[in-house]
Amino acid sequence: VALSTVTAVSPTSVTSGDGTGNYTFVITGTNLTGGSANLVNSSGANVAFDTVTVDSATQITGVVAKSSVPGSGEPYDVKVTAASGLTATLTDQINVDQQPVYSTAAGSLGTINDGGRTGASFTVAAADPESGGDPVYTLESGSLPPGLSFASTSSGAVISGDADAVGSNTTSNFTIRAKDAASNVSDRAFSITVTAP
């Protein structure tokens, strides 16, 4: 009996958008003729495709309603069942609406001693677990200490410059947003304190 294999699925990252409509997944492998396919969520439950089309011995197309594939079930496995009943599974393949993940802890980024000092620099970094691409950073709310500027770079959100002198210790609170290529966003709150001379 020829065993089916599953070698890939595309896409591996999907966004739910407004939750309506379908996802279409193209599954590639070998000996798929007469077979079928389904998804398996993170708790091990099968998620049936609404339609399964065996395009060829090496390709199956599965269509499923977005509402059947919530983000809470990620990552999803792809399982192919051969005509013989034997199965092949490709694990942890599909993620839904996965937001950028910060590697910089929320809270204080640090203190600039004696306002007016030069060369302050802080970096806030996040990564997109789906695409591996660099998120784009924006200053979503709040404000930076006067004299510092904000830049979105491939290595993170960089806050740098020469803080203006302050008459008393001053803490600036702000929220940075990281947005990935699929428009998923993560916000995180930070602060920087400038101390008086």
Side-chain angles (χ1 to χ4, degrees), residues 106-175:
S108 175
L109 293 176
T111 298
I112 302 170
N113 295 314
D114 181 6
R117 293 280 292 277
T118 59
S121 182
F122 305 92
T123 301
V124 172
D128 176 15
E130 290 166 315
S131 73
D134 298 318
V136 174
Y137 302 90
T138 53
L139 186 62
E140 195 58 25
S141 62
S143 60
L144 300 176
L148 298 187
S149 62
F150 180 96
S152 178
T153 74
S154 60
S155 57
V158 177
I159 299 163
S160 61
D162 304 335
D164 296 347
V166 290
S168 60
N169 293 0
T170 305
T171 298
S172 297
N173 296 291
F174 49 92
T175 299

Side-chain angles (χ1 to χ4, degrees), residues 11-15 74 93-101 126-136 178-184:
T12 56
S13 172
V14 294
T15 56
E74 69 178 13
Q93 291 299 299
I94 297 168
N95 286 297
V96 182
D97 290 343
Q98 201 159 343
Q99 301 169 311
V101 177
D128 176 15
E130 290 166 315
S131 73
D134 298 318
V136 174
K179 182 177 180 179
D180 67 16
S183 297
N184 300 313

Side-chain angles (χ1 to χ4, degrees), residues 27 36-40 45-49 52 77-81 87:
I27 300 159
S36 187
N38 62 275
L39 301 177
V40 182
N46 286 328
V47 178
F49 286 114
V52 176
D77 303 342
V78 178
K79 185 167 79 173
V80 170
T81 304
T87 62

